[in-house]
Amino acid sequence: MAQIKMKDMQGKEQGALTLADSVFSAEPNIALIHHVIKNQLSSARQGTHKVKGRSEVSGGGIKPWRQKGTGRARQGSIRAVQWVGGGRAFGPVPRTHIKHSNKKEIKAALRSVLSGKAADGELIILDKLTFTAPKTRDAKKVIDALGLADKRITLVLPDDAICELLAFRNLPKVSLISVSEANAHNLVDNKCLVMTQDVAKKLEEVLQ
């Protein structure tokens, strides 16, 4: 079983948390992480890009000049693609960018990300994270106590942690996600990943 050190909100060590090797101490599959994140970002695209072709641009209904005898190249319409103000050839049209990853790939990528963060020392687990009031000042004290003031971090919170969400959301370089929203891109796109032991146990339960 993987042993990961825990800290409290003052940055002091509070023993170690025992977690499953299959989730927090596996061999990271870099190619799989790249595959899943690429599909995720591609699927997030709206696909509403559109330009007009020569049949959609207004005007150009008459032939600019006669076919022969002018000494110039023959032209059929001033809205052809070679004309300024003409249509665009083979331009983008609305389409879907969705690329699917199956559930096993998504879970395996999450396990790889968590294991990689743990191996690189970029995973911090807190014994608890509770505030009596949603004050950004208190959230800043926690970040400073953990020595993360200058780092870009991702904080994974329980789904019902409204007070903590309100406290941390105004801090720069801090990205907030709930445990149910955890995905490979959000977990890997940071310099340090922070979560409570309850969140770590929840991820362990889902990913095993």
Side-chain angles (χ1 to χ4, degrees), residues 8-25:
D8 59 14
M9 296 172 59
Q10 288 73 42
K12 299 178 181 178
E13 291 190 7
Q14 298 293 323
L17 180 63
T18 302
L19 296 167
D21 286 338
S22 59
V23 179
F24 288 90
S25 188

Side-chain angles (χ1 to χ4, degrees), residues 87-172:
R88 181 174 171 183
F90 309 111
V93 294
R95 67 184 181 90
T96 179
H97 292 275
I98 292 177
K99 295 181 179 178
H100 294 283
S101 300
N102 61 51
K103 293 180 180 180
K104 288 185 178 180
E105 287 179 324
I106 294 172
K107 286 188 175 183
L110 283 171
R111 289 193 292 266
S112 292
V113 170
L114 292 172
S115 297
K117 287 292 183 181
D120 295 339
E122 296 182 352
L123 175 63
I124 293 180
I125 295 182
L126 302 175
D127 58 349
K128 62 179 180 178
L129 183 61
T130 55
F131 293 145
T132 56
K135 295 184 178 180
T136 304
R137 178 176 65 251
D138 295 337
K140 181 68 165 56
K141 290 180 180 179
V142 174
I143 297 297
D144 292 340
L146 295 174
L148 304 176
D150 298 325
K151 291 186 178 181
R152 187 166 55 90
I153 71 173
T154 295
L155 177 60
V156 187
L157 296 171
D159 293 332
D160 58 349
I162 304 300
C163 185
E164 290 73 24
L165 172 66
L166 296 175
F168 280 95
R169 66 178 180 176
N170 287 329
L171 292 178

